[in-house]
Amino acid sequence: FPNGDDPGCRANETIYSGVCPTQEPDDWFYDNQLAQNVVQNMQKAKQKGMPFFLAAGIRRPHRPWDVPDRFYNLYKKENIPLAKHTKGPTGMPELAYIQNSWPPVHYNQSNPVSDDIDRLARLGYYASVSFTDYNIGILLDGLDRYNFTSNTVVAIVSDHGWHLGEQGEYCKRTNFELAVRVPILIRSPKHVQTFGKRTDSLFELLDLYKTLNALSGAADRVQTGVEGEDLSELFKNFDAKSKARAFAFSQMARCPQPNTLGPDSACNQVKRSDIAYMGFSVRNARWRFTVWLEFVGEKNRAVWPDSLGKVHGQELYDHKDDDGTNYDRFELDNIASEYPGVCSSLYSVLRNEFA
């Protein structure tokens, strides 16, 4: 199935930039066409009687939020809750904040957008998530129809998180939890005891390949040198901490305008030599630590000083008592100066991983 997307918002259906309920039928949308195509491939797999792997790269809720209007009608804009903390974390380094291309108004880490625009953003996002949920339902119904549900491992993931006004940010391109944390749902038919359960163990998208191979009985087919961890042991024992990750990593580039450190610093379609800074972030069970370093694009490497006193910024956020359900409670204050020992320890972890 060709990689693609919808034509985008039409002027007569747009209520704000990228927020556009439409009356087009479901199969006008790329995501729905994709879901139907994947179900057709399930039918072919059934006819062949062979093991299969299918992946569906659903576009929404990425912008623009053009989805059938009935999904917009599920929500009343005036009842949608807003972000409570709409300014950047106190004490954060300038490189941490970025002004993305949406919404098309002036805003920054101390000057948030209006409540009305924030509600429109959430309305479009919520409607798009609901449309995605609907299309995922088509895929799961296909598994039922062709009797694959009881012998097929299913994984639902996202490629990145999303800000909707929290910390004064919108969209992605940050090292904050909201941008780098993603939903990961895995159903393994052999592990019925895990159905409906959740774990607070750390997981990286890099781990998907080895984990899915193990859950589907193909661990021996993983090639040498493939990155990531096999975390299938968690499906046998949720408390198997020794088999889970101790750390999860992320990184984000910065290309600020001359003589600045931001917030206009997106590295979109630039040469590697134009990347000036790189932010490296590590998360463990309690802390998120991020360090901002000079980046030498020609060598594709960051400059790792011996001490934190020579870096271009550091951030430490406490996630104690974070159960993952409150997206607006944590990472409000950079407390790196209060916990130098924690910062030094996690800096060493980052150096060992990336330097």
Side-chain angles (χ1 to χ4, degrees):
F1 194 77
N3 185 30
D5 203 348
D6 308 327
C9 294
R10 294 172 174 173
N12 64 334
E13 295 176 328
T14 300
I15 57 179
Y16 188 71
S17 173
V19 183
C20 39
T22 176
Q23 296 184 15
E24 293 291 347
D26 293 351
D27 60 7
W28 184 84
F29 296 92
Y30 173 86
D31 286 347
N32 187 262
Q33 297 171 20
L34 174 65
Q36 301 290 353
N37 179 268
V38 170
V39 173
Q40 292 171 11
N41 278 280
M42 291 179 191
Q43 182 183 24
K44 294 177 182 178
K46 184 71 173 181
Q47 293 169 346
K48 293 181 179 179
M50 297 176 61
F52 65 90
F53 172 83
L54 288 171
I58 295 175
R59 292 291 184 173
R60 301 295 169 263
H62 197 284
R63 291 188 303 112
W65 298 309
D66 59 323
V67 301
D69 57 2
R70 73 180 186 278
F71 295 101
Y72 274 86
N73 295 336
L74 294 173
Y75 306 96
K76 292 184 180 296
K77 188 185 75 164
E78 60 272 18
N79 294 339
I80 293 177
L82 301 175
K84 295 180 180 178
H85 303 284
T86 57
K87 296 184 179 181
T90 60
M92 71 173 178
E94 192 171 357
L95 282 167
Y97 186 87
I98 185 170
Q99 185 175 16
N100 286 299
S101 58
W102 197 97
V105 296
H106 175 72
Y107 69 97
N108 55 38
Q109 59 266 54
S110 58
N111 181 32
V113 306
S114 68
D115 289 352
D116 188 58
I117 291 178
D118 194 31
R119 281 199 171 92
L120 286 168
R122 288 166 178 255
L123 175 63
Y125 191 87
Y126 289 9
S128 296
V129 168
S130 294
F131 185 44
T132 292
D133 183 68
Y134 170 75
N135 287 309
I136 290 174
I138 291 174
L139 299 174
L140 299 181
D141 286 347
L143 292 176
D144 284 342
R145 184 186 312 165
Y146 297 110
N147 299 315
F148 287 137
T149 300
S150 63
N151 63 5
T152 303
V153 178
V154 177
I156 301 174
V157 304
S158 176
D159 56 342
H160 54 75
W162 200 258
H163 291 268
L164 286 168
E166 304 91 351
Q167 297 160 309
E169 291 278 13
Y170 283 90
C171 306
K172 48 184 180 179
R173 300 193 187 97
T174 79
N175 268 321
F176 295 128
E177 186 97 351
L178 283 177
V180 299
R181 179 186 171 206
V182 300
I184 299 179
L185 296 83
I186 301 178
R187 183 185 187 275
S188 174
K190 295 180 181 179
H191 301 94
V192 179
Q193 75 278 7
T194 66
F195 291 0
K197 300 292 182 63
R198 59 180 294 168
T199 174
D200 59 1
S201 297
L202 295 172
F203 195 101
E204 283 192 357
L205 292 178
L206 277 175
D207 304 328
L208 271 176
Y209 183 74
K210 287 184 177 179
T211 301
L212 294 182
N213 269 274
L215 291 175
S216 57
D220 59 335
R221 299 189 181 187
V222 176
Q223 302 92 331
T224 301
V226 172
E227 293 184 89
E229 304 292 335
D230 172 11
L231 299 182
S232 61
E233 194 68 25
L234 288 171
F235 287 79
K236 303 173 186 177
N237 178 10
F238 271 16
D239 296 322
K241 300 297 184 183
S242 61
K243 297 293 184 179
R245 276 186 170 274
F247 306 102
F249 301 95
S250 62
Q251 65 184 94
M252 179 54 59
R254 287 289 183 262
C255 300
Q257 299 300 305
N259 303 315
T260 74
L261 294 176
D264 184 11
S265 54
C267 299
N268 293 339
Q269 299 177 331
V270 301
K271 296 179 180 179
R272 194 172 63 191
S273 58
D274 292 332
I275 299 176
Y277 302 96
M278 188 70 70
F280 296 90
S281 191
V282 57
R283 177 75 148 85
N284 65 13
R286 176 170 177 178
W287 306 98
R288 173 171 297 284
F289 175 73
T290 302
V291 63
W292 294 92
L293 305 175
E294 179 185 349
F295 190 77
V296 183
E298 292 83 355
K299 298 181 179 180
N300 199 28
R301 298 185 67 86
V303 178
W304 291 86
D306 293 333
S307 70
L308 280 169
K310 300 177 182 178
V311 302
H312 289 273
Q314 57 179 307
E315 303 168 75
L316 182 69
Y317 303 106
D318 191 350
H319 282 267
K320 182 180 180 181
D321 300 325
D322 184 357
D323 64 2
T325 62
N326 190 326
Y327 306 133
D328 203 19
R329 176 184 168 193
F330 297 89
E331 300 192 0
L332 305 178
D333 301 289
N334 178 13
I335 54 175
S337 62
E338 300 177 30
Y339 295 90
V342 174
C343 294
S344 179
S345 175
L346 294 177
Y347 181 63
S348 295
V349 171
L350 284 172
R351 286 191 68 181
N352 290 336
E353 180 71 12
F354 292 105

